[in-house]
Amino acid sequence: MNLLNFIAQFPDEESCKLKFKEIRDIIGVFCPKCKGFEHYWKKDKWQYECKKCKTRVTLRSGTAMQSSKLPLRYWFVAIHLLTSTKKSFSALEVQRQLGHNRYEPVWAMLHKLREVMGQRDGKYELSGEIELDDGFFSTETIEEEKDKPLKCGRGSQKKTKVLVMAESKEIEGETSKNGKTPKVGYIKMKVIEDLKAETITPIVNDNVSEKSILLTDNSNSYTDLKDIVLEHKAQIIPKEKIEEMLPWVHIAISNAKRMLLDIHHDIKPEFLQNYLNEYCYKFNRRYYGEALFDRLLKACVTNEN
Ligand SMILES: [Zn+2]
């Protein structure tokens, strides 16, 4: 959806509320008290009333917008901005575009959207052949660690560890330029505490199908993976060959890093996952085009608080 279409479709708060209600009506409203699904619409109050127990809920309750006081149109603008670019927008930029006087609610809105993206992608597990590796993302030094001397390279206090998984599919009858690189399917990125096998194995277990084939280097971090998937191909990969042998995880890592560097600076480690959620969500839906706006809006309505 281009900007003119967006403005034409959502010229005011009313049009956004009507669209939001349309989606809620399709998805269904869930009574928080009796779990009933049938509601009357109280037009004068803009509330739903449970047919069984008469409990009333607002248009926003039970959605990602529940605890936000910002107009729905702000949310719509934010969803439009985030879904209309492969890149991203900083909270400061969105605040400027909205002309809103406070930074915090805009920042919270964007992070809520990124959480919703993460929840949505959390519903899918990767399958088939999957490349897996870890990456180190620069993040702001944690306050209490600022006084300590910084260690260099891997494990430095300014790096946060991320486990990256990418479905890597050989497409029959198709070869790329160098005849090697298979096509990429869905990807996932998960912030991890450390590289211990007992940390990594359960995360992989939660995110990939047990029928999948995992491709990794022969790091000790991955020794238990053979127990949770159909096949684990651990190979000795020299450092200079890693981008050739696990191409998609490394393309994803460098693209995500570039996005973070360009748009968001000084990310606190605890928020890195949210930014990665946004990167993966959009990467996984890169062919959706204009439909992405509606998809994310629907995901906000079905959000699990
Ligand atoms: Zn009820």
Side-chain angles (χ1 to χ4, degrees):
M1 180 160 41
N2 68 38
L3 187 56
L4 291 180
N5 290 341
F6 176 82
I7 296 168
Q9 215 178 326
F10 305 110
D12 49 24
E13 184 67 6
E14 185 77 7
S15 52
C16 297
K17 282 161 81 175
L18 287 170
K19 171 77 175 182
F20 198 76
K21 181 177 180 296
E22 184 190 308
I23 294 177
R24 278 215 89 171
D25 289 343
I26 293 167
I27 290 168
V29 178
F30 189 66
C31 173
K33 200 171 173 195
C34 76
K35 316 288 175 216
F37 271 108
E38 290 193 31
H39 288 79
Y40 300 108
W41 174 243
K42 295 283 179 189
K43 205 180 168 191
D44 51 333
K45 301 243 178 337
W46 274 84
Q47 287 182 341
Y48 291 99
E49 186 179 281
C50 176
K51 283 189 181 178
K52 261 197 264 171
C53 76
K54 306 288 176 202
T55 297
R56 286 190 188 172
V57 294
T58 64
L59 187 60
R60 292 184 187 210
S61 80
T63 72
M65 290 72 168
Q66 175 170 272
S67 47
S68 166
K69 292 189 171 63
L70 296 177
L72 271 184
R73 197 164 181 234
Y74 280 21
W75 284 87
F76 277 47
V77 168
I79 292 170
H80 171 68
L81 290 177
L82 290 192
T83 57
S84 62
T85 174
K86 268 189 218 164
K87 298 186 174 178
S88 185
F89 279 90
S90 67
L92 201 63
E93 187 56 39
V94 175
Q95 184 197 4
R96 240 193 314 256
Q97 298 285 343
L98 289 169
H100 193 65
N101 57 353
R102 290 185 59 222
Y103 174 77
E104 288 74 17
V106 175
W107 183 90
M109 168 173 70
L110 293 175
H111 273 288
K112 189 69 200 177
L113 289 175
R114 296 183 182 114
E115 264 175 43
V116 169
M117 293 180 190
Q119 283 170 2
R120 195 78 203 119
D121 270 350
K123 290 184 195 297
Y124 303 108
E125 56 179 20
L126 303 183
S127 59
E129 285 211 337
I130 301 163
E131 297 173 16
L132 186 151
D133 205 352
D134 45 73
F136 290 75
F137 284 72
S138 297
T139 47
E140 205 179 61
T141 315
I142 304 160
E143 210 51 50
E144 58 266 30
E145 289 187 356
K146 269 190 178 154
D147 303 332
K148 295 182 194 167
L150 279 180
K151 288 178 254 168
C152 294
R154 286 195 152 210
S156 124
Q157 289 148 343
K158 281 205 151 204
K159 301 272 181 190
T160 300
K161 298 166 196 77
V162 177
L163 193 65
V164 183
M165 297 160 260
E167 287 176 344
S168 178
K169 297 174 182 172
E170 297 280 356
I171 305 290
E172 242 176 275
E174 264 189 52
T175 43
S176 60
K177 277 173 274 164
N178 60 10
K180 269 183 193 164
T181 316
K183 280 207 167 177
V184 64
Y186 273 55
I187 62 166
K188 283 180 186 259
M189 294 185 173
K190 296 282 166 192
V191 171
I192 46 175
E193 278 295 306
D194 53 56
L195 297 175
K196 290 177 189 155
E198 62 258 40
T199 303
I200 287 176
T201 309
I203 294 174
V204 176
N205 198 23
D206 283 348
N207 287 286
V208 310
S209 151
E210 57 187 16
K211 293 186 187 120
S212 49
I213 299 163
L214 289 177
L215 314 169
T216 70
D217 63 27
N218 63 338
S219 151
N220 286 338
S221 307
Y222 307 136
T223 45
D224 297 337
L225 295 181
K226 60 184 184 312
D227 303 332
I228 59 164
V229 290
L230 185 67
E231 193 182 350
H232 176 209
K233 294 182 184 169
Q235 310 174 78
I236 300 167
I237 305 181
K239 213 173 173 218
E240 66 277 9
K241 288 262 179 190
I242 193 95
E243 283 169 22
E244 187 184 310
M245 294 179 75
L246 299 173
W248 285 110
V249 279
H250 288 279
I251 290 170
I253 289 171
S254 58
N255 288 346
K257 278 183 181 172
R258 196 176 315 134
M259 179 197 78
L260 296 177
L261 201 65
D262 284 350
I263 320 272
H264 313 288
H265 319 283
D266 293 336
I267 293 171
K268 289 199 168 60
E270 62 267 41
F271 299 118
L272 177 62
Q273 184 64 59
N274 278 348
Y275 293 106
L276 298 175
N277 289 348
E278 181 187 344
Y279 177 79
C280 292
Y281 180 90
K282 292 202 280 195
F283 183 91
N284 291 341
R285 290 160 186 78
R286 60 203 176 277
Y287 303 123
Y288 280 32
E290 294 186 1
L292 198 52
F293 177 88
D294 270 32
R295 293 297 185 108
L296 183 53
L297 189 55
K298 273 182 197 152
C300 287
V301 171
T302 46
N303 156 70
E304 296 129 20
N305 280 291

